[in-house]
């Protein structure tokens, strides 16, 4: 089959690889119908040194079950299913607590002999725990929306949930990328009364307003902090959703959060130290968030897509064929695309 491989920073290729096959009785093989390029894919795309063993790329995908191992009972060939960006058994103590990313059997796509999601097919470990069946046909127009359940929508929802967003809350979302826009959707779903989106890209923030942002702040640094505080009577917001992953974004969050408030960070952190010192301690600021256990949220969020309440698939503003995935990476890296949809 054809699949996406990363050899070094900036060197993405689509090449022939071994066809996936059942290796364990709990496996399934899925023919991929839709996939995506994630903002977190850009970190290795920008930094990975050359390797003779290229990394299989992609962790957001949905597709049709083609084959199952003898112990798989939850899905059957012909089922359409979406996968979370971390596979897990969904039966262990961590999984029962809704923390599938800490499952002792959890793993990442594209590593340790597991296929990536940007290809024609993939072997899915722990298929019963990982795959979530979709009640639509393969040609449904809802597929781009449902694909966001694999990562980006659930990550935005994780930010809102761990920050404690509830009815009437004032929320600041830092970052106008796909995760930030998904966080806007999530904050509105949870009943936030004021949603301030901090971002500088006019097309993205316009979409954020359509998703539910009540205010947009383009300023950064102290200018941005001042603007948010002006919008909130000088107090800032009790809930801040940091959806970038850079230290400057976290510092921005510290500036706009109100005393006693919560900053939830879900952008994969690209910094080793957290600037939380005595001043933040005195303000009783809580730092929450972390990697999103997408599997825990998929069935909660799916009905909102199926009934048309939300349309998170609008974050996809470019579509490429599998052979054009390298161009998709370039488009996202150069900020010519918000999020790229892949049709194998």
């Amino acid at each position: 089959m054809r699949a996406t491989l990363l050899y070094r920073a900036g060197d993405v290729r689509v090449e022939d690889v071994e066809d996936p096959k059942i290796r364990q009785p709990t496996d399934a093989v899925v023919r991929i119908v839709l996939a995506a390029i994630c903002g977190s894919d850009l970190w290795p795309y920008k930094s990975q040194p050359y390797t003779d063993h290229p990394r299989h790329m992609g962790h957001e995908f949905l597709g049709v079950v083609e084959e199952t191992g003898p112990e798989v009972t939850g899905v059957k060939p012909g089922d359409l299913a979406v996968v979370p960006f971390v596979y897990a058994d969904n039966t262990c103590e961590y999984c029962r607590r809704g923390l599938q990313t800490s499952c002792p059997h959890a793993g990442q796509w594209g590593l340790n002999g597991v296929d990536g999601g940007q290809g024609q097919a993939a072997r899915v470990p722990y298929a019963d725990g990982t795959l979530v069946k979709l009640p639509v046909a393969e040609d449904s127009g809802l597929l781009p929306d449902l694909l966001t359940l694999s990562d980006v929508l659930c990550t935005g929802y994780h930010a809102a949930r761990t920050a404690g967003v509830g009815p009437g809350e004032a929320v600041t979302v830092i970052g106008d990328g796909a995760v930030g826009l998904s966080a806007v959707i999530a904050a509105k779903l949870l009943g936030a009364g004021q949603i301030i989106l901090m971002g500088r890209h006019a097309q993205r923030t316009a979409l954020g307003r359509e998703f539910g942002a009540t205010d947009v702040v383009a300023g950064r640094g102290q200018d941005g902090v001042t603007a948010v505080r002006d919008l909130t009577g000088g107090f800032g917001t009790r809930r801040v959703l940091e959806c970038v992953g850079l230290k400057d974004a976290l510092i921005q969050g510290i500036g706009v959060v109100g005393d006693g408030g919560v900053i939830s960070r879900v952008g994969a952190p690209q910094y080793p130290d957290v600037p939380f010192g005595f001043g933040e301690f005195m303000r009783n600021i809580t730092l929450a968030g972390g990697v999103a256990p997408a599997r825990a949220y998929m069935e909660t969020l799916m009905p909102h897509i199926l009934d048309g309440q939300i349309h998170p698939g609008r974050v996809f503003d470019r579509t490429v064929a599998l052979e054009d995935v390298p161009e998709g990476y370039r488009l996202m890296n150069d900020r010519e695309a918000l999020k790229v949809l892949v049709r194998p």
Side-chain angles (χ1 to χ4, degrees), residues 132-308:
V132 176
K133 288 196 292 187
L134 298 174
V136 298
E138 184 179 339
D139 60 353
S140 170
L142 291 177
L143 258 56
D145 293 314
L146 293 165
L147 177 59
T148 66
L149 293 170
S150 66
D151 184 347
V152 64
L153 178 61
C154 292
T155 296
Y157 189 73
H158 187 59
R161 278 287 305 275
T162 55
V165 174
E169 294 274 7
V171 180
T172 300
V173 176
I174 300 176
D176 58 9
V179 172
L181 296 176
S182 297
V184 171
I185 293 174
K188 185 177 181 182
L189 275 179
L190 292 171
Q194 182 182 27
I195 304 172
I196 302 169
L197 174 60
M198 302 192 77
R200 300 194 301 175
H201 303 87
Q203 288 184 319
R204 299 181 181 189
T205 56
L207 183 56
R209 286 189 182 276
E210 294 182 42
F211 283 163
T214 57
D215 304 277
V216 170
V217 169
R220 290 186 177 180
Q222 189 56 48
D223 287 344
V225 171
T226 299
V228 171
R229 291 193 171 267
D230 286 346
L231 287 167
T232 56
F235 292 101
T237 61
R238 289 186 62 202
R239 317 295 175 188
V240 175
L241 316 183
E242 191 278 285
C243 302
V244 179
L246 296 177
K247 188 174 180 179
D248 286 348
L250 180 57
I251 292 172
Q252 187 105 314
I254 294 169
V256 301
V257 70
D259 288 14
V262 181
I263 302 171
S264 177
R265 58 175 188 159
V266 296
Q270 304 302 304
Y271 51 93
D273 56 325
V274 176
F276 258 52
F278 187 74
E280 290 70 41
F281 172 80
M282 290 298 294
R283 293 175 58 200
N284 279 289
I285 297 172
T286 298
L287 183 62
V291 62
R295 182 64 183 82
Y297 303 134
M298 295 168 88
E299 282 125 337
T300 297
L301 293 169
M302 189 188 303
H304 298 292
I305 293 173
L306 297 175
D307 68 12

